[in-house]
Each structure stands twice: as structure tokens, then as C-alpha cells.
Amino acid sequence: MEPLIRVGEADFDVGVEVQRVLAMADTIGGVVNFVGVMRSNNDGRAVEAMHLEHYPGMTEKALAAIAQQASERWSLEAITVIHRVGLFKPGDQIVLVVTAASHRGEAFQACEFIMDFLKTRAPFWKKEITAQGEFWVDARSSDDSAADRWQST
Amino acid sequence: MEPLIRVGEADFDVGVEVQRVLAMADTIGGVVNFVGVMRSNNDGRAVEAMHLEHYPGMTEKALAAIAQQASERWSLEAITVIHRVGLFKPGDQIVLVVTAASHRGEAFQACEFIMDFLKTRAPFWKKEITAQGEFWVDARSSDDSAADRWQST
Amino acid sequence: MIKVLFFAKLRESLGCGSLEWPVQEPLSLKDLRDQIIARHPEWEPDLCAQNVIAAVNQAVAAPHEVVQPGDEVAFYPPVTGG
Amino acid sequence: MIKVLFFAKLRESLGCGSLEWPVQEPLSLKDLRDQIIARHPEWEPDLCAQNVIAAVNQAVAAPHEVVQPGDEVAFYPPVTGG
């Protein structure tokens, strides 16, 4: 099982990615997807656009390492991680994580695990463009807590 | 927030359903999907096809009730539940649950909750068609446990 | 009349998908089932199986629940969708 | 030479995205940072901020980790992807 990792400006189609995964194995019973989307509003601030910067090279390595951890922890048939970079408008898709397994519980846990680690470990940075100027987004402590809970289980 | 509930023979495209949800609210930060798929193998038995029967009328009510419970329990921007019936081949999509929320944790929990209750409460029955004959699928006790764990939390 | 429906494996075992049961007065779900069994004694093992679920007007119901003329009652085995 | 990269808010604060640092001998990540600060004293507050993360050859690294000529080192603020 070789995870598919993709980082770039191109958008994605969740339906196409689900079909790609289903074509890989006929032992799949459930596919879980997470799609992260740009909100028009962040903590009450209207956001017109967003720029997403990354660390080319390290990004792909970090995502592959997170996918590898997930595949060691759960019995998975497929993993896809697509993270876009560049300029976004509200409603645009930013990130897609697909996990497929024989049993749905494993797919759900693995998908949430990958998102929690991606949020706290992968070198991406968001800058919001608002009527009041441009602001780097602060990291959320709730994301750290989300990632931390996997340590104790 | 009016959940979209659909029961019928028609297939679905996850990408189309995600876009439909994203068009409904610009406060969505994350969309979680579960796609249930027909396996070619059930507990070591090769399955050639499957027939899915339901209780028309009650099915839609049961799914709407489960979606309603989820929307009372978590802060959601959208819920979609599509369940197909009729004849299936291995690899065919059977069920789609989409949950959208401002924060991903709520979307993940609500999606898993809906699946757990759908598996144990909604009147659908699977009959497997194999080389050895046709067999009604037995309910899994692991699905009951999955649904039960929501009672205590 | 009460419309009575049977689904899936139970429908196949009984060899019956639906029937119209003549009822003038309200009665409990359990009494309705007993009346049906009195008419079809060979249905007792399947209809009284521990895991059979009953629904009244498309909502799951307990044996003591009261049904009346015009209601729709269903009996079915554990569900296996999703 | 060691290639040193800065990202996001840190890059903007320093006014520098990357630099080539002359190094003949292995040294700790912390010593490398101190050398850079000796050359750019005005960078100290940003580069020594509690939440700055360092990576060596694209893997997160602790201050005592040893770097050598040919390595790629990066400093960046907490990540906010996903």
C-alpha cells in the first residue's frame, strides 16, 4: 500500500479521488474523506482571500511520514493526501485526506489522525488577506490538543 | 439546516455531493464523507453480487431521525445521507454520509455517529449472491457496540 | 383493517410479504401477533424469534404498544444496511 | 556551506528568505543560530522566539542536533496548514 501524496496549486475532485482508491483494492468496505475548506470568516474577521505558503520538499516528506504512521497504526487499504498551496478564495478546497479500510472504524480514526498531525506537523502557513490588511494566521492550541490525544492511546 | 436524505437505486458522485454542500454555507471549514462500498469478500466467502432490500417510507424517516439527532448533538452546517438499494456488484458504492461543520472534530464525530446508527437502526437488509447460493447477511454485533458507545458519552 | 408487512429473511421464511388484518378495536402489538399466529401456527418460530423487530407506522415499537384500525405494522429481522 | 531557509512570518520579519552560511566544521544547530545572530544582531528577538521551529535536512530537529557542510537548515513559525 503506497500512499498517494500530492502538494501543488491544482484543485482536486473528491469523487475522482474516491474512484481512484476504489480501483486499487476490492477488499475496501469503507472510504472516509476529509475536505478542508477556506472559510469567509475567521474568528469574526471577514477574509477576502488567503495565501498558503509551504516548504517545498519538506512538505511532501512530512505528509509521507504522517501517512506512514497511520498505516502502521491501522489496517488500511489506501491513503491519499492532497494539499493545495497558493491563493484561495472563500469556499475553495484546501486539503483532502482519503483513508480506505475493510472496516469503517479504522478508516475514520486514521483520517482524523492524519488531519490532526497535518495541522500541527506539516510546514504550511496561511496568510489572510482582509480589508484591514494581510495577517499571518496564528496556530490554534486546539489543534495541538487534537494531535496530542493520539500519544496517550 | 435541512438534511438531504435520498434512498433509491441511483448511484452518487462524492465530488458532486461535496460541492452541493459547499454551496450551501460559507462558514464551512471541513467536510467529512463516508462512502460504504460492496466488498468482494465477506468473512472469507467470495460474493458475486448483493441485493439490498429496504422498507420504503420507514427508511427515509429513520435516516431523517438519525440526521436530526446528529444535528442536535453537534454544531453542523450540512448533512447528506444517500443510501442505495437494489442490485450491487463488488466495488459498487452503497451509502454516502456527508457532514459539514466549521470545525473538523464535530464533522468527524457526527459522520461516524450517523453511520453507526444507520447500520443498526435503518431498515435495510443485504442478501449476498454467491456460487454456493443466496444468503441473508447476519447483523454484526460490532455494529451494535459501535452504536451503543454513543449512549454513554 | 391493519396493514401488516414482513421483510427480508422473515418475509421469505413466512412466504408472505404483506397481509390485511381485520381489526375493529385497538389492541396491543403482542395481541395482534398472537392473533396472526393463531391463524398461521406454522409462523410462530419465525415471528416469535428473539431478534424480530416490530414497527408501528414506520417507527420501532415495543410489544405493549397499542395499534388500531388504519395503522401499518411491520415485522423484520435485524437490519444490515450501510 | 550550509543553506539556511526562513519561512512565512519569520521570513517577512527578518526580511530574508534564505542565505548561504560558510561552515567548515560540524556544529550544533544552536551554535549555528548564534553565529547567524552575531552577524545579524537585529534578528535575535525573532530567531530566538520560543515558538520558532528548526529543521535539518527537512526534518524537525532539536537545538543540540549537529549540522555540517552541505546540510539544509530551516527556521519557521508554528505551522497553520490543513
Side-chain angles (χ1 to χ4, degrees), chain B residues 53 55 83 124 126-127 136, chain C residues 8 11-12 72 77 79-80 82:
Chain B
E53 173 178 340
Y55 179 176
H83 203 302
F124 294 99
K126 289 175 179 160
K127 187 187 216 176
W136 289 99
Chain C
R11 173 176 48 74
E12 288 190 355
E72 176 178 298
V79 302
T80 55

Side-chain angles (χ1 to χ4, degrees), chain A residues 26-100:
Chain A
D26 62 1
T27 48
I28 293 172
V31 181
V32 174
N33 305 286
F34 176 83
V35 183
V37 178
M38 190 194 153
R39 273 179 290 184
S40 61
N41 191 293
N42 194 357
D43 294 331
R45 208 167 46 240
V47 183
E48 293 166 6
M50 189 177 76
H51 189 267
L52 219 154
E53 174 178 340
H54 75 127
Y55 178 176
M58 180 169 175
T59 327
E60 292 81 355
K61 283 188 191 174
L63 296 179
I66 294 166
Q68 177 64 27
Q69 284 178 52
S71 71
E72 287 166 7
R73 195 153 176 161
W74 292 281
S75 179
L76 302 173
E77 304 288 335
I79 301 176
T80 299
V81 181
I82 299 177
H83 203 302
R84 300 177 64 201
V85 294
L87 194 65
F88 296 83
K89 296 283 180 194
D92 282 353
Q93 303 183 129
I94 300 171
V95 61
L96 171 68
V97 174
V98 183
T99 53

Side-chain angles (χ1 to χ4, degrees), chain A residues 115-122 140 143-147, chain B residues 104, chain D residues 53 79 81:
Chain A
M115 274 310 302
D116 288 347
F117 274 73
L118 189 160
K119 285 259 182 192
T120 53
R121 305 283 195 278
R140 281 178 189 275
D143 285 326
D144 281 328
S145 323
Chain B
R104 71 184 182 285
Chain D
I53 297 157
V79 303

Side-chain angles (χ1 to χ4, degrees), chain B residues 34 36 52-59 61-62 83 94-95 115 118-127 134 136-140 143, chain C residues 3-13 17 51 53-61 72-82:
Chain B
F34 176 83
L52 219 153
E53 173 178 340
H54 74 126
Y55 179 176
M58 180 170 175
T59 325
K61 281 189 193 173
H83 203 302
I94 300 172
V95 60
M115 274 311 302
L118 189 160
K119 285 259 181 192
T120 53
R121 305 283 195 278
F124 294 99
W125 301 275
K126 289 175 179 160
K127 187 187 216 176
E134 304 191 351
W136 289 99
V137 172
D138 281 329
R140 281 177 188 276
D143 284 328
Chain C
K3 186 174 190 179
V4 182
L5 304 170
F6 306 104
F7 288 98
K9 192 177 188 174
L10 185 60
R11 173 176 48 74
E12 288 190 355
S13 300
N51 61 7
I53 297 158
V56 175
N57 297 329
Q58 307 185 345
V60 172
E72 176 178 298
V73 170
F75 295 96
Y76 55 79
V79 302
T80 55

